[in-house]
Amino acid sequence: MNVRYLTVALLTALTLGAGCVRHAITQDFGLSGIASPRAKRPAAQAIDTPLRAVFKRQIQGAFNPLSDDARVQALETRLKSNPQDAAARLELGGVYEIYKLYDNAFEQYRQALQLSLSDGAAAEQAIAGLSRSARASRRAQEAIGPVETLLQQRPSAASWIELGLLYQAVSDLGKAEIAFAEAVTLDPESDRAYNNLGYNLLLENKIEAAEAELRRALELNPSSTTARNNLGTVLARRGDFEGALQEFQLAADLATAHNNLAVVLLEMGQYERSREELVKALAIRRYFAPALANFKLVQERIRERTELQKVGRLPLSAVRVPSAIVAEAGPTAADPPSADQREISTQKDSEDKP
């Protein structure tokens, strides 16, 4: 009897005890396994802990590169002692670009151009930096004059390309074409020069001339993703969709190629065909973010067109979805990234790196 009562009492105690325990349930999406509830010993400080602290301050907005980056402080000290130090200005401009402080970078490159630069390489570096930062800060018009002045003293194909990019930024395509043509004349073996000229001709709707220049760029550099995508765009514009798809696929995978063709069709107003290409892209890669975003955009365009046909105007609550022209194969060593490239028919093949 006593044993039975004792057993019942123990079971009751266990039941009541279990009912009072509260388990915190956590889900670590994307991580495998369940963390052990046991306390862990504090880990030893990692070697890169100070660097991580800097990154954390940057994320939290507490990091100010103008006062907290030692490189900035050292370069500014050099410039205080010697304002004519062109090398320091070029290096400081590059640091500012890394932090996306384009106005600060613009001023350093502009002042560097006013100095007596020691050689042509330094002049090209200053012009390229000024062009990048001017276009990034929407000050291209301010940069055109200084670049033209230095070009009269030190003409080079690379600098003519930068001037062409500046003219493109202010929508002066005629002068941009002249600048790119000068670059081709000075360096007829530059695939970059031919690519830029070809893209500018495409913007001017000179389709046949654009195709010729882009094919010349690919003859010089068959691995140029930039020129390949631009040629794909040209072929699509003149109705050769199969040829365009082949060029896009040579520059990337098949899903990206279908997405890129869809973008060109979208820009041409062929919404149904664009949607078909996006469906093909998503059938290959189900959760392909650029294709999903572009699909949403093309559906919105079709809806707007239907509204226009029905009532003659857009609905008051029309949703404007941003374009998602963001699918291209990664750049190759021979085809470096550019800050002003579109990621489907890439405009330029310029080394826009500080």
Side-chain angles (χ1 to χ4, degrees), residues 164-180:
L165 297 178
L166 289 169
Y167 275 125
Q168 273 189 355
V170 297
S171 300
D172 193 337
L173 299 179
K175 288 185 178 179
E177 180 184 340
I178 294 171
F180 292 135

PDB file of all heavy atoms in Angstrom, residues 164-180:
ATOM      1  N   GLY A 164      34.147  61.104 -73.033  1.00  0.00           N
ATOM      2  CA  GLY A 164      32.931  60.585 -73.650  1.00  0.00           C
ATOM      3  C   GLY A 164      31.900  60.155 -72.622  1.00  0.00           C
ATOM      4  O   GLY A 164      30.696  60.405 -72.790  1.00  0.00           O
ATOM      5  N   LEU A 165      32.352  59.536 -71.561  1.00  0.00           N
ATOM      6  CA  LEU A 165      31.427  59.112 -70.505  1.00  0.00           C
ATOM      7  C   LEU A 165      30.773  60.325 -69.835  1.00  0.00           C
ATOM      8  O   LEU A 165      29.590  60.290 -69.470  1.00  0.00           O
ATOM      9  CB  LEU A 165      32.161  58.270 -69.453  1.00  0.00           C
ATOM     10  CG  LEU A 165      32.762  56.949 -69.930  1.00  0.00           C
ATOM     11  CD1 LEU A 165      33.502  56.251 -68.793  1.00  0.00           C
ATOM     12  CD2 LEU A 165      31.695  56.034 -70.498  1.00  0.00           C
ATOM     13  N   LEU A 166      31.546  61.381 -69.669  1.00  0.00           N
ATOM     14  CA  LEU A 166      30.989  62.597 -69.072  1.00  0.00           C
ATOM     15  C   LEU A 166      29.938  63.213 -69.992  1.00  0.00           C
ATOM     16  O   LEU A 166      28.877  63.662 -69.530  1.00  0.00           O
ATOM     17  CB  LEU A 166      32.107  63.603 -68.794  1.00  0.00           C
ATOM     18  CG  LEU A 166      33.057  63.237 -67.641  1.00  0.00           C
ATOM     19  CD1 LEU A 166      34.275  64.155 -67.638  1.00  0.00           C
ATOM     20  CD2 LEU A 166      32.326  63.314 -66.301  1.00  0.00           C
ATOM     21  N   TYR A 167      30.217  63.242 -71.286  1.00  0.00           N
ATOM     22  CA  TYR A 167      29.225  63.769 -72.221  1.00  0.00           C
ATOM     23  C   TYR A 167      27.972  62.893 -72.249  1.00  0.00           C
ATOM     24  O   TYR A 167      26.853  63.401 -72.368  1.00  0.00           O
ATOM     25  CB  TYR A 167      29.825  63.887 -73.622  1.00  0.00           C
ATOM     26  CG  TYR A 167      30.574  65.175 -73.848  1.00  0.00           C
ATOM     27  CD1 TYR A 167      31.898  65.173 -74.281  1.00  0.00           C
ATOM     28  CD2 TYR A 167      29.957  66.408 -73.644  1.00  0.00           C
ATOM     29  CE1 TYR A 167      32.595  66.369 -74.494  1.00  0.00           C
ATOM     30  CE2 TYR A 167      30.635  67.592 -73.846  1.00  0.00           C
ATOM     31  CZ  TYR A 167      31.947  67.577 -74.269  1.00  0.00           C
ATOM     32  OH  TYR A 167      32.619  68.766 -74.474  1.00  0.00           O
ATOM     33  N   GLN A 168      28.145  61.579 -72.137  1.00  0.00           N
ATOM     34  CA  GLN A 168      26.972  60.704 -72.042  1.00  0.00           C
ATOM     35  C   GLN A 168      26.150  61.045 -70.809  1.00  0.00           C
ATOM     36  O   GLN A 168      24.915  61.053 -70.850  1.00  0.00           O
ATOM     37  CB  GLN A 168      27.404  59.237 -71.962  1.00  0.00           C
ATOM     38  CG  GLN A 168      27.607  58.575 -73.300  1.00  0.00           C
ATOM     39  CD  GLN A 168      27.829  57.079 -73.163  1.00  0.00           C
ATOM     40  OE1 GLN A 168      27.920  56.537 -72.061  1.00  0.00           O
ATOM     41  NE2 GLN A 168      27.943  56.400 -74.284  1.00  0.00           N
ATOM     42  N   ALA A 169      26.841  61.340 -69.701  1.00  0.00           N
ATOM     43  CA  ALA A 169      26.141  61.622 -68.445  1.00  0.00           C
ATOM     44  C   ALA A 169      25.281  62.876 -68.533  1.00  0.00           C
ATOM     45  O   ALA A 169      24.278  62.994 -67.816  1.00  0.00           O
ATOM     46  CB  ALA A 169      27.149  61.756 -67.305  1.00  0.00           C
ATOM     47  N   VAL A 170      25.667  63.809 -69.406  1.00  0.00           N
ATOM     48  CA  VAL A 170      24.863  65.026 -69.561  1.00  0.00           C
ATOM     49  C   VAL A 170      24.014  64.953 -70.829  1.00  0.00           C
ATOM     50  O   VAL A 170      23.480  65.962 -71.296  1.00  0.00           O
ATOM     51  CB  VAL A 170      25.755  66.292 -69.580  1.00  0.00           C
ATOM     52  CG1 VAL A 170      26.487  66.442 -68.265  1.00  0.00           C
ATOM     53  CG2 VAL A 170      26.734  66.268 -70.753  1.00  0.00           C
ATOM     54  N   SER A 171      23.912  63.747 -71.396  1.00  0.00           N
ATOM     55  CA  SER A 171      23.041  63.468 -72.559  1.00  0.00           C
ATOM     56  C   SER A 171      23.462  64.195 -73.826  1.00  0.00           C
ATOM     57  O   SER A 171      22.632  64.465 -74.693  1.00  0.00           O
ATOM     58  CB  SER A 171      21.578  63.810 -72.218  1.00  0.00           C
ATOM     59  OG  SER A 171      21.139  63.041 -71.122  1.00  0.00           O
ATOM     60  N   ASP A 172      24.747  64.502 -73.949  1.00  0.00           N
ATOM     61  CA  ASP A 172      25.253  65.091 -75.190  1.00  0.00           C
ATOM     62  C   ASP A 172      25.909  63.964 -75.993  1.00  0.00           C
ATOM     63  O   ASP A 172      27.144  63.810 -76.013  1.00  0.00           O
ATOM     64  CB  ASP A 172      26.262  66.199 -74.892  1.00  0.00           C
ATOM     65  CG  ASP A 172      26.565  67.048 -76.124  1.00  0.00           C
ATOM     66  OD1 ASP A 172      26.362  66.541 -77.250  1.00  0.00           O
ATOM     67  OD2 ASP A 172      27.017  68.201 -75.958  1.00  0.00           O
ATOM     68  N   LEU A 173      25.079  63.164 -76.671  1.00  0.00           N
ATOM     69  CA  LEU A 173      25.572  61.969 -77.337  1.00  0.00           C
ATOM     70  C   LEU A 173      26.436  62.289 -78.556  1.00  0.00           C
ATOM     71  O   LEU A 173      27.326  61.516 -78.913  1.00  0.00           O
ATOM     72  CB  LEU A 173      24.398  61.077 -77.745  1.00  0.00           C
ATOM     73  CG  LEU A 173      23.530  60.563 -76.595  1.00  0.00           C
ATOM     74  CD1 LEU A 173      22.392  59.708 -77.138  1.00  0.00           C
ATOM     75  CD2 LEU A 173      24.363  59.778 -75.591  1.00  0.00           C
ATOM     76  N   GLY A 174      26.171  63.409 -79.201  1.00  0.00           N
ATOM     77  CA  GLY A 174      26.970  63.793 -80.357  1.00  0.00           C
ATOM     78  C   GLY A 174      28.423  64.020 -79.975  1.00  0.00           C
ATOM     79  O   GLY A 174      29.344  63.494 -80.627  1.00  0.00           O
ATOM     80  N   LYS A 175      28.658  64.789 -78.918  1.00  0.00           N
ATOM     81  CA  LYS A 175      30.027  65.053 -78.473  1.00  0.00           C
ATOM     82  C   LYS A 175      30.652  63.790 -77.867  1.00  0.00           C
ATOM     83  O   LYS A 175      31.871  63.582 -77.963  1.00  0.00           O
ATOM     84  CB  LYS A 175      30.048  66.203 -77.476  1.00  0.00           C
ATOM     85  CG  LYS A 175      29.781  67.553 -78.111  1.00  0.00           C
ATOM     86  CD  LYS A 175      29.921  68.686 -77.120  1.00  0.00           C
ATOM     87  CE  LYS A 175      29.697  70.042 -77.806  1.00  0.00           C
ATOM     88  NZ  LYS A 175      29.812  71.174 -76.847  1.00  0.00           N
ATOM     89  N   ALA A 176      29.825  62.956 -77.242  1.00  0.00           N
ATOM     90  CA  ALA A 176      30.337  61.694 -76.710  1.00  0.00           C
ATOM     91  C   ALA A 176      30.855  60.813 -77.839  1.00  0.00           C
ATOM     92  O   ALA A 176      31.922  60.198 -77.730  1.00  0.00           O
ATOM     93  CB  ALA A 176      29.238  60.970 -75.930  1.00  0.00           C
ATOM     94  N   GLU A 177      30.111  60.773 -78.947  1.00  0.00           N
ATOM     95  CA  GLU A 177      30.549  59.969 -80.099  1.00  0.00           C
ATOM     96  C   GLU A 177      31.894  60.460 -80.622  1.00  0.00           C
ATOM     97  O   GLU A 177      32.787  59.665 -80.945  1.00  0.00           O
ATOM     98  CB  GLU A 177      29.492  60.033 -81.204  1.00  0.00           C
ATOM     99  CG  GLU A 177      29.863  59.219 -82.438  1.00  0.00           C
ATOM    100  CD  GLU A 177      28.866  59.353 -83.572  1.00  0.00           C
ATOM    101  OE1 GLU A 177      27.711  59.762 -83.319  1.00  0.00           O
ATOM    102  OE2 GLU A 177      29.249  59.058 -84.727  1.00  0.00           O
ATOM    103  N   ILE A 178      32.054  61.781 -80.704  1.00  0.00           N
ATOM    104  CA  ILE A 178      33.321  62.347 -81.172  1.00  0.00           C
ATOM    105  C   ILE A 178      34.464  61.944 -80.240  1.00  0.00           C
ATOM    106  O   ILE A 178      35.557  61.563 -80.690  1.00  0.00           O
ATOM    107  CB  ILE A 178      33.213  63.883 -81.271  1.00  0.00           C
ATOM    108  CG1 ILE A 178      32.218  64.277 -82.371  1.00  0.00           C
ATOM    109  CG2 ILE A 178      34.578  64.511 -81.525  1.00  0.00           C
ATOM    110  CD1 ILE A 178      31.887  65.761 -82.399  1.00  0.00           C
ATOM    111  N   ALA A 179      34.214  62.004 -78.927  1.00  0.00           N
ATOM    112  CA  ALA A 179      35.255  61.659 -77.960  1.00  0.00           C
ATOM    113  C   ALA A 179      35.650  60.186 -78.079  1.00  0.00           C
ATOM    114  O   ALA A 179      36.843  59.849 -78.079  1.00  0.00           O
ATOM    115  CB  ALA A 179      34.753  61.960 -76.540  1.00  0.00           C
ATOM    116  N   PHE A 180      34.667  59.305 -78.200  1.00  0.00           N
ATOM    117  CA  PHE A 180      34.976  57.878 -78.318  1.00  0.00           C
ATOM    118  C   PHE A 180      35.691  57.582 -79.641  1.00  0.00           C
ATOM    119  O   PHE A 180      36.574  56.713 -79.695  1.00  0.00           O
ATOM    120  CB  PHE A 180      33.698  57.049 -78.205  1.00  0.00           C
ATOM    121  CG  PHE A 180      33.073  57.083 -76.838  1.00  0.00           C
ATOM    122  CD1 PHE A 180      31.700  57.256 -76.693  1.00  0.00           C
ATOM    123  CD2 PHE A 180      33.838  56.937 -75.699  1.00  0.00           C
ATOM    124  CE1 PHE A 180      31.111  57.280 -75.438  1.00  0.00           C
ATOM    125  CE2 PHE A 180      33.269  56.967 -74.436  1.00  0.00           C
ATOM    126  CZ  PHE A 180      31.900  57.140 -74.302  1.00  0.00           C
TER     127      PHE A 180
END
